[in-house]
């Protein structure tokens, strides 16, 4: 439409000479009216001559026009002469006037005479009266004659009765004859079947056929068919075509399609256009669109407008509106209001609101009030709530209960829960099961799980062969790869271990890099090992800096090294001070050596 308008505007679209384009439709309508008037005159002349078919056709023409009085006399005359189409139309006229039983009588006459349309109308009449057996009989008569509306009405009746096989057969018959609602409902049936199928191949076939019928319904102007087709295409990644069908559906008034189109535009970076469609959908009562508008305004810092749209979402029956409003209040420090809206959403069954409410109560010190909401959220499928229940029970030293909830959360893919289960299995000595959970947690991004998995694998591997610094590096093992993954995520003990493995391979530069990274993050072992490496390389002054940092952090061996360094330098008092510290820090063997050194230094000082 836009392209055509542009062509008209530039004069590049050729128009018929001598006739303004705006008058073309009016001319066509005038011609049709003139033709109809001429046809009516011809029919009236034929009726005057006793032509029964003309009576029937003229009656139908007047009926369509709304001239019931004029139509009835002609239809009755044609019906009396045995015209079944006239009997059917007379039934339609009487039904529209409110004489349903008399209409049914004429429909029966027409249906017995073989009128499929009359059989359909009679079937509908009996269904409205609650006589389903009679309705089924006449609708079946209509459908078997190929009447599309009869097939659809029969399918609807059988579906209501629970006869899925019969319903699908006639729904398919109506859809194949071009009934768009039948095509849509057949697609919905196949879609549901695809979701229930255990056989992947059968499910795929049902889903493919469903898409075909959605496409046919959408092509015939069914707005919900266009919506579902757009959803299928979006899920498949065919965003351009999905957007086209969403647009078609949205223009026909489908609020959900307008909302979906908004999300598609937002993901493409066009937030302004997205907001236009969300606004249209929200004004038509779509709560999801109202929530999206609220989130958009919240991101822009327009909290009052955001709150208004969240309330609109609530008014539309969307529980996410209350939850989002609670989040907004919590961000602003309005804890009382946040609790109020969390409760509203939680009572409506919103599981994340239940979890958030429980956290709010727990922070306020109401553990007994929090636990039921955690349980409700967890039972509704909230993985975070299951994990939080595990933490709650662990804090009470209820290890069995804690492990049960951790396992539940871990089964749903919760990384930290899998780590907790893995650690529990390690404590129980079940190393194989521990490894399984630790792999899950490490794969989910847990640095601690990657480190602990590496330690499990490290304990199994045979001791490496002796290696001298400067020799070619050996191939990395799986445990080292996990150590490196944890180290790259900032895990200090993993960084130290990676440094040790690199040093064992002879890669001094790599070892120093990891030791330094750990030391700068506060690892006393990293600082001590970096000092050892620097001392071996002849950089004792720098080594002293790192040993001092390690010793100040409580590393006994670093204190002993410092005592030895200062003793060699002749700074006996300083050496004695560090030796005293090493004795107090330990461990035992370090304490013993430090005590001997301290006593020797004391004798030297007193000599």
């Amino acid at each position: 439409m836009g392209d055509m308008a542009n062509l008209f505007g530039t004069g590049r679209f050729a128009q018929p000479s001598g006739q303004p384009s705006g008058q073309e439709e009016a001319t066509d309508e005038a011609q049709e009216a003139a033709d109809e008037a001429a046809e009516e005159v011809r029919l009236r002349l034929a009726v005057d001559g006793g032509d029964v078919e003309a009576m029937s056709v003229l009656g139908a023409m007047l009926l369509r026009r709304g001239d019931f009085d004029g139509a009835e006399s002609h239809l009755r005359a044609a019906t009396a002469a045995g015209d079944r189409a006239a009997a059917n139309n007379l039934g339609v006229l009487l039904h529209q006037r409110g004489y349903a039983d008399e209409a049914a009588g004429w429909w029966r006459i027409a249906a017995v005479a073989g009128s499929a349309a009359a059989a359909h109308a009679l079937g509908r009449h009996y269904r409205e009266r609650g006589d389903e057996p009679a309705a089924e009989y006449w609708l079946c008569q209509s459908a078997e004659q190929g009447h599309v509306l009869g097939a659809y009405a029969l399918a609807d009746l059988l579906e209501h009765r629970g006869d899925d096989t019969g319903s699908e057969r006639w729904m398919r018959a109506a859809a194949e004859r071009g009934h768009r609602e039948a095509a849509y409902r057949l697609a919905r049936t196949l879609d549901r079947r695809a979701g229930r199928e255990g056989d992947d191949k059968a499910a795929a076939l049902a889903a493919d056929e469903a898409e075909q019928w959605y496409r046919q319904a959408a092509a015939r102007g069914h707005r919900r068919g266009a919506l579902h087709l757009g959803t299928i295409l979006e899920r498949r990644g065919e965003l351009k075509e999905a957007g086209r069908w969403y647009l078609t559906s949205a223009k026909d008034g489908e609020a959900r399609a307008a909302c979906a189109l908004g999300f598609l535009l937002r993901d493409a970076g066009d937030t302004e256009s997205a907001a236009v469609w969300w606004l249209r959908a929200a004004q038509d009562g779509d709560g999801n669109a109202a929530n999206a508008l609220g989130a958009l305004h919240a991101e822009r810092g327009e909290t009052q407008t955001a709150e208004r749209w969240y309330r609109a979402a609530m008014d539309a029956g969307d529980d996410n509106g209350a939850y989002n409003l609670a989040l907004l209040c919590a961000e602003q420090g309005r804890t009382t209001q946040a609790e109020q809206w969390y409760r509203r959403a939680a009572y409506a069954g919103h599981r994340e609101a239940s979890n958030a409410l429980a956290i709010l109560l727990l922070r306020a010190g109401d553990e007994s009030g929090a636990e039921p909401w955690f349980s409700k959220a967890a039972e509704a499928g909230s993985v975070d709530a299951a994990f939080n229940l595990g933490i709650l029970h662990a804090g009470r030293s209820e290890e069995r209960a804690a492990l049960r909830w951790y396992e539940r959360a871990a089964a749903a893919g919760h990384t930290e829960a899998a780590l907790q289960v893995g650690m529990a299995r390690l404590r129980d000595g079940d190393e194989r099961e521990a490894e399984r959970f630790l792999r899950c947690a490490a794969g989910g991004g847990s640095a601690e799980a990657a480190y602990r998995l590496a330690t499990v694998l490290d304990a199994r591997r045979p001791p490496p062969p002796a290696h001298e610094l400067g020799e070619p590096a050996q191939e990395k093992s799986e445990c080292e790869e996990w150590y490196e993954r944890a180290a790259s995520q900032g895990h200090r003990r993993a960084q130290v271990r990676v440094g040790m493995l690199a040093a064992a391979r002879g890669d001094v530069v790599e070892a120093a890099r990891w030791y330094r990274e750990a030391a700068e993050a506060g690892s006393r072992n990293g600082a001590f090992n970096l000092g050892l490496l620097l001392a071996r390389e002849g950089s004792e002054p720098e080594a002293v800096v790192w040993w001092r940092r390690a010793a100040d952090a409580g590393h006994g061996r670093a204190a002993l090294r410092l005592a030895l360094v200062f003793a060699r330098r002749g700074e006996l008092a300083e050496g004695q001070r560090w030796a005293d510290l090493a004795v107090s820090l330990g461990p035992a063997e370090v304490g013993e050596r430090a005590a001997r050194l301290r006593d020797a230094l004391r004798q030297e000082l007193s000599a």
Side-chain angles (χ1 to χ4, degrees), residues 299-560:
E299 285 173 10
R300 295 173 176 173
E302 301 164 355
T303 54
Q304 288 185 337
T305 308
E307 184 169 338
R308 181 167 61 84
W309 282 114
Y310 289 147
R311 289 180 184 275
M314 284 192 292
D315 293 341
D318 193 318
D319 299 328
N320 281 318
Y323 176 62
N324 289 331
L325 186 53
L327 291 175
L328 190 68
C329 292
E331 287 173 5
Q332 295 172 339
R334 295 154 58 193
T335 308
T336 304
Q337 292 93 329
E339 182 180 341
Q340 171 194 345
W341 296 117
Y342 279 140
R343 283 189 185 277
R344 174 165 173 170
Y347 278 122
H350 196 292
R351 67 186 189 189
E352 299 310 324
S354 298
N355 182 56
L357 175 60
I359 292 171
L360 200 67
L361 293 170
L362 195 61
R363 286 174 179 165
D366 186 3
E367 185 176 307
S368 60
E371 186 173 354
W373 287 111
F374 277 137
S375 296
K376 184 175 182 179
E379 293 297 344
S382 171
V383 181
D384 288 335
F387 177 67
N388 289 335
L389 272 173
I391 295 173
L392 202 64
H393 287 290
R396 300 172 186 162
S397 299
E398 299 167 358
E399 301 300 336
R400 287 180 179 274
L403 183 58
R404 186 173 67 252
W405 285 111
Y406 284 145
E407 285 175 338
R408 186 163 177 173
H414 195 286
T415 298
E416 291 303 312
L419 169 62
Q420 294 300 322
V421 176
M423 291 169 64
R425 294 287 183 264
L426 278 178
R427 287 193 296 271
D428 294 341
D430 188 351
E431 191 176 287
R432 293 293 174 186
E433 194 68 4
E435 181 184 341
R436 183 169 71 87
F437 280 100
L438 290 174
R439 283 188 183 276
C440 291
S446 169
E448 182 65 25
Y451 172 73
R452 290 183 179 272
L453 174 60
T455 60
V456 169
L457 298 172
D458 205 356
R460 287 186 200 156
R461 66 176 186 151
H467 194 282
E468 295 295 332
L469 291 177
E471 288 185 7
Q474 302 165 10
E475 187 178 344
K476 292 180 183 178
S477 62
E478 186 190 3
C479 78
E480 188 168 358
E481 290 173 358
W482 285 112
Y483 278 134
E484 285 187 359
R485 180 179 293 194
S488 64
Q489 292 175 257
H491 195 287
R492 294 184 300 182
R493 284 178 294 169
Q495 290 169 342
V496 172
R497 187 62 182 143
V498 171
M500 293 170 67
L501 292 169
R505 288 197 313 270
D507 191 343
V508 178
V509 174
E510 184 74 358
R513 181 173 74 85
W514 285 113
Y515 288 150
R516 190 179 298 277
E517 194 163 330
E520 287 175 348
S523 168
R524 61 189 186 184
N525 285 330
F528 175 70
N529 288 356
L530 179 58
L532 289 179
L533 203 64
L534 291 167
R536 286 176 192 165
E537 295 296 305
S539 301
E540 188 176 89
E542 191 179 353
V544 167
V545 172
W546 290 106
W547 283 333
R548 190 187 295 273
R549 182 180 292 192
D552 288 340
H555 199 288
R557 285 188 172 85
L560 178 57

Side-chain angles (χ1 to χ4, degrees), residues 84-288:
R84 70 183 188 188
N88 176 55
N89 286 332
L90 180 57
V92 172
L93 185 150
L94 291 167
H95 186 270
Q96 290 184 4
R97 279 186 160 171
Y99 304 118
D101 292 334
E102 189 180 351
W106 289 112
W107 280 331
R108 180 182 291 274
I109 290 170
V112 169
S115 170
H120 165 248
L122 191 58
R124 291 289 300 275
H125 168 79
Y126 280 118
R127 188 172 183 191
E128 288 169 3
R129 292 292 186 275
D131 188 349
E132 289 196 1
E136 182 178 353
Y137 174 80
W138 288 110
L139 290 174
C140 190
Q141 295 293 316
S142 175
E144 287 177 348
Q145 292 180 67
H147 194 276
V148 63
L149 295 178
Y152 175 72
L154 177 58
D156 185 67
L157 175 64
L158 294 173
E159 183 181 77
H160 173 72
R161 190 179 295 168
D163 182 356
D164 295 338
T165 304
S167 173
E168 184 176 336
R169 173 196 168 196
W170 289 111
M171 200 70 78
R172 188 180 296 276
E176 287 171 348
R177 292 183 176 95
H179 195 290
R180 71 181 188 183
E181 183 65 24
Y184 171 73
R185 289 179 64 175
L186 177 59
R188 295 294 293 149
T189 298
L190 293 165
D191 215 351
R192 287 191 291 269
R193 181 182 302 162
R196 292 192 304 266
E197 279 287 356
D199 183 348
D200 290 345
K201 186 175 181 181
L205 288 172
D208 288 344
E209 190 180 359
E211 182 181 343
Q212 293 170 16
W213 287 114
Y214 279 136
R215 194 175 290 277
Q216 289 201 32
R220 292 170 188 152
H222 196 289
R223 68 188 193 185
R224 283 176 294 164
L227 167 65
H228 284 282
L229 179 58
T231 303
I232 290 169
L233 293 166
E234 182 181 3
R235 208 161 41 225
R236 204 158 60 212
E238 299 175 22
L239 302 183
K240 187 174 182 180
E241 190 180 359
R244 183 167 66 84
W245 286 112
Y246 283 149
L247 180 61
T248 299
S249 180
K251 284 182 175 178
D252 286 340
E254 182 59 52
R256 289 176 296 169
C259 180
L261 180 58
F263 282 111
L264 211 60
L265 290 164
R266 181 204 63 183
D267 293 342
D270 189 355
T271 310
E272 296 305 318
S273 297
V276 170
W277 287 105
W278 282 333
L279 178 61
R280 182 167 174 172
Q283 288 172 339
D284 287 339
D286 190 283
N288 195 21

Side-chain angles (χ1 to χ4, degrees), residues 30-101:
Q31 185 62 48
E32 287 176 11
D35 291 343
E36 186 175 343
E39 176 66 9
E40 183 178 345
V41 170
R42 186 189 70 75
L43 288 171
R44 288 188 182 279
L45 291 172
V47 167
D48 291 342
D51 190 325
V52 174
E53 184 180 352
M55 294 176 195
S56 178
V57 174
L58 179 58
M61 178 184 289
L62 295 171
L63 177 61
R64 284 195 303 272
R65 191 182 296 166
D67 183 359
F68 291 172
D69 292 334
E72 185 172 353
S73 59
H74 294 297
L75 291 174
R76 285 189 181 275
T79 299
D83 189 293
R84 70 183 188 188
N88 176 55
N89 286 332
L90 180 57
V92 172
L93 185 150
L94 291 167
H95 186 270
Q96 290 184 4
R97 279 186 160 171
Y99 304 118
D101 292 334

